[in-house]
Amino acid sequence: MVQNDIVLVYPIPTLDSPVNLVPLSILFPGALFERQGMRVAYFDERYDSEELLAQLIRESREIGVSAFTGPQAGRAADILIKAKQINPSIITGVGGHHARILPEQVLAEPFVDKVWTEPSYGEDLFPYNERTKKFFARSDMQYFASRGCPHTCSFCCLSSPWQPKAIGDLERELTIIHGDVGFHEISFSDPNIAFGRSERERLERIRGIGRIMRKLKVRWDGNMRSPYLSPAMVEALAESNCYSLEIGCESGNDQFLRKVIRKGHGVEAIRKAARAVKGSGISVMYSFIAHMPRETKAMLMDTFDLIDWIVGVDRDARVSIFTYAPFPGSRMYRDAVEGAAGYPPFVPPTTMKGWASLPFMKSPLYWIAGLCFRKDNTRKNFRGDDWKLIEPYLALAEKKWKERDFDDFPIRDVEALILRQMVKNNTIRSAGRAA
Ligand code: B12
Ligand code: SF4
């Protein structure tokens, strides 16, 4: 019997991250559909059982699954295939970044009836109520203080105007959720936590957020561009209970950063940010990308050297190096497909599972850098005595980093080990379902 107009599903997003943030991707659209009078059910694959999913599929007229490009798109495909098997008359849909950048391809999948392609669904609504409360209570708190980023980095397809949430609304909404579920930390997923023409405007924004955070006795992390990290900004951030920031550094080569990536700043801005933040108590995650079209080996070496400089200056630094993933909708994507400057021409997958199986996260460099500089994640996965299990791989990664030897690494062993730990720690429910 049909009980729900739609069941919204959040598939497992990644196979190695211990981060389990509130599934806002389905909660905002759900708030919109509820406002329209629809009966909405929610399902989070990281926590809920397969049996519950099967039951909700049987009881729903429609299923909408969220997907960003990568492993989550593959999980979304599996879920929709299963939905059609269990309930052949169910209407199946895909939303999220993947559906937005590749709507025609997603719609061509035999198990997909519709795609949700708008950039935003219900983000102006408050997605918290008695039915969604448990999704906040059991996850790491995530929220939004603003949407959009007006910059035009050549690898990124997120470009859109910056739209801040009014501080008063943010305060009201977070106070209600905090009063009910009592979180101690919050992750702001805004691409830019503070944008604005002048430093004064940006500082004012951070001070406004800080007032709420201090009132709630909550600490927070978020994303910021390196040129904004002046000494005055670092002071305001520290006063606002910010304990962690992510900055997109991308490359250690000045010309590449300015001319090809078009980041809007050069390497000196990153160095200045590291100098300003060191010793402030805020741990910065410096995020880099490797193996982009037009990037030479020498440019990549500049990235490694900059990372060594950063971790020498800022002892609380964390660093990730992602292998460039050519996602449609950006300038750099065209270069990748055309094979610009000797880049092996990228042949785009034609299916959701194809996008999920791309080996971007499987490079030795990703793992060597991750093990060397993301001990925060490793500690969450290997608690207590379990640390011994990963120690030999950490030693090997450190040796290889020093020697700049990125040709091979026992990736399969490390991935299998991490997956076992995630199951053991209940970060994901079963290795079989995640694989
Ligand atoms: C949090 C986050 C993560 C978390 C996810 C875990 C979690 N949730 O617990 C972590 C840190 C693990 C992560 C990892 C990755 N991420 Co990420 N991540 C984000 C981030 C910062 C927020 C996502 C979010 O919750 N947004 C909030 C919701 C409300 O927005 P939304 O998902 O877009 O949903 C809205 C609409 O899309 C739509 N919608 C979404 N789903 C559905 C479904 C239906 C049915 C409907 C109707 C509508 C709908 O409605 C929502 C409300 O408007 C975004 C950047 C951003 N600010 O969005 C990047 C982002 C999603 N990540 C991205 C990527 C690429 C990754 C990685 C694959 C690689 C990488 N280098 O970052 C890795 C995976 C790594 C791995 N090892 O596998 C890209 C996706 C690009 C793309 N083409 O898909 C983004 C956009 C960042 C970027 N600048 O490129 N990520
Ligand atoms: S990479 Fe960051 S700064 Fe650049 S356009 Fe994307 S979200 Fe904006």
Side-chain angles (χ1 to χ4, degrees), residues 151-206:
H151 290 279
T152 51
C153 304
S154 60
F155 65 89
C156 181
C157 53
L158 271 192
S159 199
S160 59
W162 189 69
Q163 293 172 280
K165 202 185 232 310
I167 289 290
D169 289 344
L170 187 65
E171 176 168 8
R172 186 178 52 78
E173 293 172 7
L174 290 181
T175 305
I176 292 173
I177 303 171
H178 186 262
D180 258 11
V181 302
F183 52 89
H184 303 294
E185 285 179 7
I186 178 166
S187 179
F188 285 114
S189 295
D190 320 28
N192 266 311
I193 186 77
F195 187 73
R197 280 180 301 279
S198 67
E199 174 158 62
R200 202 174 54 80
E201 278 177 77
R202 295 192 290 267
L203 288 172
E204 207 171 291
R205 183 79 189 159
I206 293 300

Side-chain angles (χ1 to χ4, degrees), residues 50-256:
E50 276 184 79
E51 295 71 34
L52 177 62
L53 179 60
Q55 183 195 330
L56 291 171
I57 287 170
R58 274 192 295 272
E59 292 172 352
S60 302
R61 196 170 48 81
E62 186 170 342
I63 179 170
V65 181
S66 184
F68 63 68
T69 313
Q72 200 179 37
R75 292 302 303 163
D78 287 336
I79 289 167
L80 291 177
I81 291 167
K82 186 173 164 179
K84 284 286 188 196
Q85 284 163 358
I86 295 174
N87 177 359
S89 65
I90 198 165
I91 301 165
T92 52
V94 183
H97 289 280
H98 192 71
R100 192 156 59 248
I101 60 174
L102 289 165
E104 282 158 22
Q105 192 183 95
V106 172
L107 196 54
E109 297 275 15
F111 48 83
V112 175
D113 297 322
K114 66 199 267 191
V115 280
W116 300 88
T117 55
E118 293 301 317
S120 160
Y121 292 89
E123 286 183 26
D124 53 336
L125 300 174
F126 184 39
Y128 183 83
N129 58 36
E130 272 310 308
R131 286 146 45 64
T132 58
K133 182 176 173 175
K134 78 168 183 198
F135 296 86
F136 284 87
R138 66 187 176 180
S139 314
D140 302 334
M141 180 62 184
Q142 172 183 220
Y143 215 63
F144 263 77
S146 67
R147 309 197 324 241
C149 172
H151 290 279
T152 51
C153 304
S154 60
F155 65 89
C156 181
C157 53
L158 271 192
S159 199
S160 59
W162 189 69
Q163 293 172 280
K165 202 185 232 310
I167 289 290
D169 289 344
L170 187 65
E171 176 168 8
R172 186 178 52 78
E173 293 172 7
L174 290 181
T175 305
I176 292 173
I177 303 171
H178 186 262
D180 258 11
V181 302
F183 52 89
H184 303 294
E185 285 179 7
I186 178 166
S187 179
F188 285 114
S189 295
D190 320 28
N192 266 311
I193 186 77
F195 187 73
R197 280 180 301 279
S198 67
E199 174 158 62
R200 202 174 54 80
E201 278 177 77
R202 295 192 290 267
L203 288 172
E204 207 171 291
R205 183 79 189 159
I206 293 300
R207 286 179 187 135
I209 292 173
R211 276 194 294 280
I212 306 172
M213 298 295 108
R214 284 195 302 275
K215 183 183 113 185
L216 300 180
K217 297 192 173 51
V218 164
R219 57 180 205 154
W220 64 275
D221 80 320
N223 303 294
M224 186 170 269
R225 282 167 58 82
S226 49
Y228 297 169
L229 273 172
S230 64
M233 177 56 87
V234 171
E235 201 184 317
L237 286 164
E239 275 174 14
S240 75
N241 287 4
C242 171
Y243 74 100
S244 161
L245 277 181
E246 176 166 338
I247 58 178
C249 301
E250 331 306 0
S251 170
N253 182 277
D254 201 62
Q255 285 302 303
F256 192 72

Side-chain angles (χ1 to χ4, degrees), residues 151-159 225 250 256-264 289 292-294 324-336:
H151 290 279
T152 51
C153 304
S154 60
F155 65 89
C156 181
C157 53
L158 271 192
S159 199
R225 282 167 58 82
E250 331 306 0
F256 192 72
L257 194 55
R258 288 177 190 279
K259 298 271 165 61
V260 180
I261 296 183
R262 304 196 198 175
K263 192 73 192 169
I289 307 175
M292 290 169 271
R294 301 182 194 278
Y324 169 63
F327 291 157
S330 68
R331 253 169 306 173
M332 198 174 271
Y333 176 77
R334 286 200 298 273
D335 270 1

